[in-house]
């Protein structure tokens, strides 16, 4: 399950309530959540958590900057997800806004919801913001939490486990905020198990997901979000590996296909492609020298990771990166099978105004390099109005086959699958 490529976070469900009736009075509603803890079937989910821990202990953990020292990171027994939940349902954000304890998202660029993935909020994933979660609870008992046993989780029975509760609440009919629910539910968990509360150095992360009248209680199995698997050097708009994987799957890569990302940024799409579809050849490019450098660093990290896996020289990856101009690609006409790219939204990079010229020029150039009849393109953008206009201008070479809606850091974006028609694109004038 940990090897699933389109899933951000994993957790084992303790119990699910499809139609949970919340009391209108805040105190009564929170009291019901507290009482719920004693009634939940914790035994089997905790066995799954222990099994998960015993398998994951051998893994070396990637050290996150701006958190505690490496020494204390190594003492962390696993089990809880370090990165927290990094996707925001759009209606969760209203909950954060009215909640003074929660911290605003630090970076919108890689916080989309992968379709079909169970997601949760409460701790923003962007590096060191995870202290935002349920501060009220930490005041109650984190002083003693840090003194809790630091042994491996194999000795969980002998040691006092440290835990935190992360609440993800969506819907406007609740009388309480996510922090109040997490605080009171967490207090009851602490009383029930006699665990210690610790917001950062926890062994167990208990999840309380409330979506209107649906309640799911779970225990996290991922230590940090799985979307960070291939990226070590992040840029201002780094795409999640999970979304990159979904985009690549949409274009159905076949062995020997040449796949190009002409606006690769930090290389999330081609790196995911090279790792998952090694029988294709991946070419990445960007006009920013800094982006090309970051992508090259990420490729080096992937090579090092492959090498340490087998402890033998890594065979390399079928991927090259180059600095180029998207409107003037150094590729032969009709030489590319697939184009997959994350187009500039015009928010952090470029502008909406520039997109009106950029998008049609991009689509024309992508049409030129793609094989007529069989070529396809998968393009992500939030500037849907501009994209629709650009597509209508190049309708003779691109036909829209499918649209998938995605949430990218709270922005309602679209992934378009385009198919190349048999029309020949006009040749670019040679210089």
């Amino acid at each position: 399950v940990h090897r699933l490529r389109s899933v951000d976070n994993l957790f084992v469900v303790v119990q699910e309530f499809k139609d949970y009736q919340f009391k209108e009075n805040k105190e009564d509603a929170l009291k019901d959540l507290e009482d719920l803890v004693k009634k939940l079937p914790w035994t089997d989910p905790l066995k799954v958590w222990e099994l998960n821990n015993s398998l994951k202990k051998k893994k070396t953990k990637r050290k996150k900057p701006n958190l505690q020292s490496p020494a204390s990171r190594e003492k962390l027994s696993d089990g809880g997800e370090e990165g927290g939940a990094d996707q925001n349902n759009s209606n969760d954000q209203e909950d954060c806004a009215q909640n003074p304890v929660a911290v605003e998202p630090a970076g919108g660029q890689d916080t989309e919801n992968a379709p079909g993935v169970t997601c949760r909020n409460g701790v923003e994933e962007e590096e060191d913001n995870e202290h935002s979660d349920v501060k009220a609870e930490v005041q109650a008992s984190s002083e003693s939490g840090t003194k809790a046993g630091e042994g491996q989780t194999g000795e969980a029975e002998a040691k006092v486990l440290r835990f935190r509760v992360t609440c993800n609440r969506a819907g406007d009919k609740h009388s309480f905020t996510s922090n109040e629910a997490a605080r009171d539910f967490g207090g009851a968990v602490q009383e029930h198990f006699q665990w210690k509360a610790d917001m950062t150095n926890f062994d167990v992360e208990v999840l309380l997901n409330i979506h209107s009248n649906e309640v799911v209680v779970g225990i996290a199995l991922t230590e940090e979000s799985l979307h960070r698997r291939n990226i070590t050097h992040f840029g201002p708009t780094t795409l999640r590996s999970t979304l990159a994987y979904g985009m690549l799957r949409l274009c159905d890569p076949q062995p020997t296909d040449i796949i190009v990302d002409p606006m690769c940024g930090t290389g999330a799409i081609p790196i995911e492609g090279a790792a998952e579809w090694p029988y294709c050849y991946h070419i990445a490019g960007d006009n920013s020298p800094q982006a090309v450098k970051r992508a090259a660093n990420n490729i080096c990290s992937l090579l090092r990771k492959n090498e340490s896996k087998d402890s033998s020289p890594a065979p390399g990856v079928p991927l090259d990166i180059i600095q180029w101009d998207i409107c003037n690609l150094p590729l032969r006409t009709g030489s590319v099978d697939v184009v997959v790219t994350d187009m500039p939204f015009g928010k952090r990079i470029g502008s909406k105004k520039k997109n009106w010229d950029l998008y049609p020029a991009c689509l024309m150039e992508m049409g030129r390099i793609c094989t007529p009849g069989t070529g396809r393109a998968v393009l992500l953008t939030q500037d849907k109005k501009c994209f629709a206009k650009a597509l209508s201008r190049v309708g003779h070479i691109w036909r829209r086959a499918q649209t998938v809606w995605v949430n990218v850091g709270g922005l309602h974006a679209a992934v378009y699958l385009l198919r190349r028609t048999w029309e020949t694109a006009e040749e670019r004038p040679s210089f």
Side-chain angles (χ1 to χ4, degrees):
V1 174
H2 278 274
R3 291 201 185 105
L4 291 170
R5 308 322 281 159
S6 58
V7 173
D8 279 358
N9 298 291
L10 302 171
F11 62 90
V12 55
V13 175
V14 177
Q15 199 166 350
E16 199 169 351
F17 302 91
K18 289 288 183 199
D19 189 25
Y20 188 93
Q21 296 303 315
F22 287 101
K23 303 264 174 63
E24 285 193 23
N25 180 300
K26 186 190 340 192
E27 280 69 27
D28 293 347
L30 291 171
K31 181 78 175 73
D32 282 355
L33 284 176
E34 281 183 47
D35 296 342
L36 188 63
V37 172
K38 299 186 191 78
K39 301 172 194 162
L40 292 171
W42 293 99
T43 316
D44 286 346
L46 281 168
K47 279 181 188 161
V48 175
W49 172 82
E50 275 180 29
L51 171 67
N52 182 66
N53 255 22
S54 67
L55 298 171
K56 288 193 70 189
K57 229 185 295 174
K58 299 166 194 137
K59 287 192 178 180
T60 54
K61 300 174 188 63
R62 189 172 77 75
K63 291 175 182 55
K64 294 180 74 182
N66 305 333
L67 281 175
Q68 56 268 53
S69 68
S72 58
R73 276 289 284 118
E74 278 151 19
K75 288 176 192 164
L76 174 60
S77 318
D78 197 325
E81 170 205 318
E82 236 350 273
D86 21 31
Q87 356 27 350
N88 288 337
N89 281 338
S90 44
N91 40 0
D92 289 336
Q93 292 174 341
E94 139 229 50
D95 181 36
C96 284
Q98 51 175 266
N99 188 342
V101 185
V103 169
E104 283 299 308
Q109 70 277 16
D110 30 19
T111 49
E112 85 289 341
N113 278 334
V117 175
T118 311
C119 51
R120 56 191 196 270
N121 192 4
V123 192
E124 271 309 315
E125 179 278 310
E126 276 298 318
E127 304 306 347
D128 56 340
N129 280 359
E130 66 182 286
H131 306 282
S132 66
D133 186 49
V134 215
K135 288 195 178 152
E137 188 187 341
V138 79
Q139 288 159 3
S141 48
S142 69
E143 301 94 319
S144 52
T146 47
K147 296 173 196 155
E150 287 169 344
Q152 291 298 320
T153 42
E155 305 157 20
E157 299 306 317
K159 302 283 184 185
V160 177
L161 286 175
R162 289 158 293 181
F163 83 103
R164 83 168 178 199
V165 171
T166 300
C167 176
N168 163 31
R169 186 190 69 83
D172 49 11
K173 295 204 173 102
H174 307 123
S175 56
F176 50 85
T177 65
S178 57
N179 271 27
E180 288 167 336
R183 179 195 64 206
D184 289 25
F185 190 80
V189 169
Q190 187 176 22
E191 217 168 274
H192 185 66
F193 289 105
Q194 296 299 305
W195 291 343
K196 302 286 185 189
D198 193 325
M199 295 301 102
T200 51
N201 218 17
F202 51 86
D203 304 311
V204 188
E205 183 176 28
V206 179
L207 307 166
L208 176 62
N209 290 349
I210 300 169
H211 192 283
S212 297
N213 279 351
E214 210 175 300
V215 176
V216 181
V217 179
I219 298 171
L221 299 179
T222 35
E223 152 199 334
E224 71 169 359
S225 180
L226 300 179
H227 84 262
R228 297 173 145 264
R229 55 182 171 261
N230 293 329
I231 304 297
T232 51
H233 294 71
F234 288 83
T237 57
T238 298
L239 197 66
R240 296 175 165 222
S241 298
T242 42
L243 185 53
Y245 174 81
M247 288 171 68
L248 283 154
R249 266 197 62 174
L250 201 57
C251 66
D252 188 25
Q254 299 300 312
T256 76
D257 272 358
I258 292 176
I259 303 176
V260 171
D261 181 352
M263 295 181 271
C264 71
T266 47
I269 294 172
I271 287 170
E272 188 66 21
E276 297 299 317
W277 286 273
Y279 303 111
C280 299
Y281 194 77
H282 305 264
I283 304 172
D286 203 285
N287 67 342
S288 156
Q290 197 178 9
V292 172
K293 191 177 170 188
R294 282 190 187 124
N297 285 332
N298 284 326
I299 295 166
C300 290
S301 301
L302 184 68
L303 285 169
R304 277 198 297 273
K305 195 168 84 177
N306 290 352
E307 211 164 60
S308 61
K309 260 186 211 162
D310 316 329
S311 65
S312 61
V317 286
L319 166 59
D320 256 330
I321 181 152
I322 186 171
Q323 187 180 337
W324 60 28
D325 170 11
I326 172 64
C327 302
N328 194 7
L329 297 173
L331 296 167
R332 276 187 302 201
T333 300
S335 63
V336 170
D337 298 288
V338 180
V339 174
V340 186
T341 198
D342 170 15
M343 299 183 81
F345 291 7
K347 287 182 180 291
R348 291 182 175 223
I349 288 182
S351 67
K352 296 260 185 190
K353 193 177 173 198
K354 282 182 186 165
N355 284 354
W356 286 96
D357 293 326
L358 179 69
Y359 278 22
C362 287
L363 288 170
M364 284 299 286
E365 186 66 345
M366 289 172 192
R368 183 188 69 78
I369 63 169
C370 259
T371 318
T374 57
R376 52 229 183 263
V378 173
L379 310 173
L380 165 70
T381 181
Q382 187 255 336
D383 199 347
K384 300 178 284 288
K385 188 176 168 188
C386 179
F387 187 85
K389 183 80 174 146
L391 194 59
S392 68
R393 284 172 62 179
V394 293
H396 58 295
I397 52 174
W398 287 116
R399 185 173 50 79
R400 186 166 75 184
Q402 196 180 343
T403 307
V404 181
W405 303 105
V406 290
N407 175 347
V408 182
L411 299 173
H412 185 53
V415 175
Y416 298 97
L417 170 62
L418 308 180
R419 296 204 179 277
R420 180 73 170 79
T421 65
W422 286 97
E423 287 280 321
T424 49
E426 52 196 79
E427 282 284 339
R428 198 179 59 216
S430 53
F431 296 102

